[in-house]
Amino acid sequence: MKKILMIALAICAIQITSAQANNRGQKAMDLAPEEMATLQTKKMTLLLDLNQSQQDDIYKINLENAKLRKAHMAERKAKREHAEATKPSKEQRLEMANKMLDHKIAMKAKMKNILNDEQYAKWEKAQAKRHAKMKGKAKKKHAGKRDK
């Protein structure tokens, strides 16, 4: 009897944790682009010790990126709701990858113009760490799908 109760309790805990994890992503979607840009700029200010003019320049970049992300999220959500969520063709994937890489190159160039050498090196290191973390999460996600 105790074992059954413990198993039921563990399953409930897993369900609650899973629901909270899904909720976190939803909260980020509820923020306005201006709020996202402000938060990201403040985080970068703390990390890189930015002066006021750097903060203003980076806020503009972050705002532009937040608006772009928000538009992409809305587009994906609309496609999901209308059941148009088909896998992109090889050409479409190539085009999306090229757009993303062009955007990253432009971002690096803008950041290099705004930040000094020490700040830029710190930013690059943080980006690499973030990329590795996201890659790890993607591996876990795909491993979970394969197990099912």
Side-chain angles (χ1 to χ4, degrees), residues 53-140:
S53 72
Q54 288 174 321
Q55 287 179 38
D56 295 340
D57 293 341
I58 288 178
Y59 174 79
K60 290 173 189 171
I61 293 170
N62 287 337
L63 181 60
E64 179 184 320
N65 289 338
K67 286 179 180 178
L68 198 64
R69 271 195 317 275
K70 197 79 164 171
H72 284 265
M73 284 191 287
E75 184 181 319
R76 283 194 308 272
K77 186 177 181 182
K79 281 184 178 180
R80 265 195 315 258
E81 288 174 354
H82 296 313
E84 297 174 20
T86 57
K87 289 194 174 188
S89 67
K90 185 177 180 179
E91 291 81 21
Q92 289 171 327
R93 283 195 313 269
L94 178 66
E95 182 184 340
M96 289 188 313
N98 275 324
K99 278 184 182 178
M100 184 182 67
L101 291 172
D102 287 342
H103 181 73
K104 283 185 177 184
I105 291 168
M107 269 295 290
K108 269 190 156 184
K110 288 176 185 176
M111 295 305 276
K112 197 164 192 134
N113 286 336
I114 296 170
L115 303 175
N116 64 34
D117 293 338
E118 182 183 325
Q119 290 171 326
Y120 183 75
K122 206 172 190 180
W123 178 76
E124 285 244 292
K125 187 176 178 182
Q127 291 298 308
K129 189 175 180 181
R130 184 172 170 236
H131 180 71
K133 184 178 178 182
M134 287 174 57
K135 203 169 191 174
K137 283 184 180 181
K139 276 187 178 181
K140 283 182 183 178

